[in-house]
Amino acid sequence: MTEKDESVKNNTEHTEENENVKNEASSSNDVENNPSEEELNNESTSEHDNDDKNDQSKDEEIQQLQLKANENEEKYLRLYAEFENYKRRIRNENETNKKYQAQPVLTDILPTIDNIERALQIEGNDESFKSLKKGVQMIHESLLRALKDNGLEEIESEGQEFDPNFHQAVVQDDNPDFNSGEITQELQKGYKLKDRVLRPSMVKVNQ
């Protein structure tokens, strides 16, 4: 082999060695620059876990907000119901007060009616007495008419079945003309205002 051929051979080998070194360096850089499949999987898993945690945190926050909204709605409905009950109670009270507003006056005037009726039971033959009695009778009728216009009603008694809601039995009678439990005589008139008893009738009841 000539010296020239040997030189060419040496250059070729040197060149091949340099290329091998470059290839090894390149491979090393590729390994360093390109993560392994396991590293990629770990990174993907970590990101997935973070996403799951974020989603879970959001779900918990939404759930808490929903619970709070439900509590506020329940409080509102309870307060609304209480307010409606309050309005209904006040309205009923006002209607009741309006319906029975004349009760105190009517109750106070009942003894006066009793006295007038007792006076009308007195008998006399004198003309002046008869004239006075007629005047009193007119006043009595006018007074009863005005009181009835304000809701006063007489409680029916004589001949009626005894009712403890409207009658007060003070005497027991034994009258064959009446059935047992019927009222044979009214001793004092009873009155009511619409459906409310102002004073029960004092009566005699057949046994």
Side-chain angles (χ1 to χ4, degrees), residues 120-204:
L120 291 173
Q121 291 175 359
I122 300 174
E123 297 293 338
N125 295 323
D126 188 81
E127 290 296 328
S128 60
F129 176 82
K130 291 180 179 179
S131 177
L132 177 62
K133 183 176 181 180
K134 185 176 181 180
V136 173
Q137 188 173 6
M138 292 175 62
I139 293 173
H140 178 253
E141 292 174 354
S142 176
L143 178 61
L144 286 180
R145 186 164 52 250
L147 295 177
K148 287 179 180 179
D149 290 341
N150 284 274
L152 184 69
E153 299 179 26
E154 292 184 10
I155 297 176
E156 295 183 7
S157 299
E158 191 168 333
Q160 301 295 316
E161 186 75 19
F162 175 77
D163 187 344
N165 295 313
F166 301 101
H167 308 125
Q168 180 181 355
V170 294
V171 179
Q172 193 174 44
D173 199 1
D174 186 9
N175 193 327
D177 296 331
F178 292 86
N179 295 325
S180 176
E182 286 186 348
I183 297 172
T184 60
Q185 184 181 356
E186 182 181 64
L187 304 177
Q188 185 184 56
K189 284 185 178 181
Y191 297 91
K192 62 181 180 178
L193 175 60
K194 296 180 172 59
D195 56 351
R196 178 179 291 182
V197 175
L198 299 180
R199 186 181 72 185
S201 299
M202 297 177 63
V203 296
K204 184 185 292 187

Side-chain angles (χ1 to χ4, degrees), residues 1 7 26 33 47 71 75 83 101 103 105 112 143 188 195 205:
M1 179 181 295
S7 176
S26 177
N33 293 331
E47 291 178 355
E71 291 177 358
K75 290 179 181 178
F83 182 65
Q101 62 182 351
Q103 179 174 346
V105 176
T112 302
L143 178 61
Q188 185 184 56
D195 56 351
V205 183

Side-chain angles (χ1 to χ4, degrees), residues 59-76:
D59 290 341
E60 291 177 355
E61 184 177 358
I62 292 173
Q63 187 176 4
Q64 291 177 357
L65 291 174
Q66 185 65 43
L67 290 174
K68 189 173 182 180
N70 292 338
E71 291 177 358
N72 291 334
E73 182 180 8
E74 185 178 352
K75 290 179 181 178
Y76 166 77

Side-chain angles (χ1 to χ4, degrees), residues 50-108:
N50 290 334
D51 291 339
D52 289 343
K53 290 180 180 179
N54 291 334
D55 291 341
Q56 184 178 1
S57 177
K58 290 180 180 179
D59 290 341
E60 291 177 355
E61 184 177 358
I62 292 173
Q63 187 176 4
Q64 291 177 357
L65 291 174
Q66 185 65 43
L67 290 174
K68 189 173 182 180
N70 292 338
E71 291 177 358
N72 291 334
E73 182 180 8
E74 185 178 352
K75 290 179 181 178
Y76 166 77
L77 293 176
R78 185 165 57 251
L79 289 174
Y80 179 79
E82 291 177 357
F83 182 65
E84 287 298 315
N85 290 334
Y86 169 77
K87 289 198 302 182
R88 190 181 301 107
R89 184 171 63 253
I90 294 299
R91 183 168 59 251
N92 292 337
E93 290 177 357
N94 290 336
E95 291 176 355
T96 300
N97 292 335
K98 184 178 180 180
K99 183 177 181 180
Y100 301 108
Q101 62 182 351
Q103 179 174 346
V105 176
L106 295 177
T107 302
D108 291 341

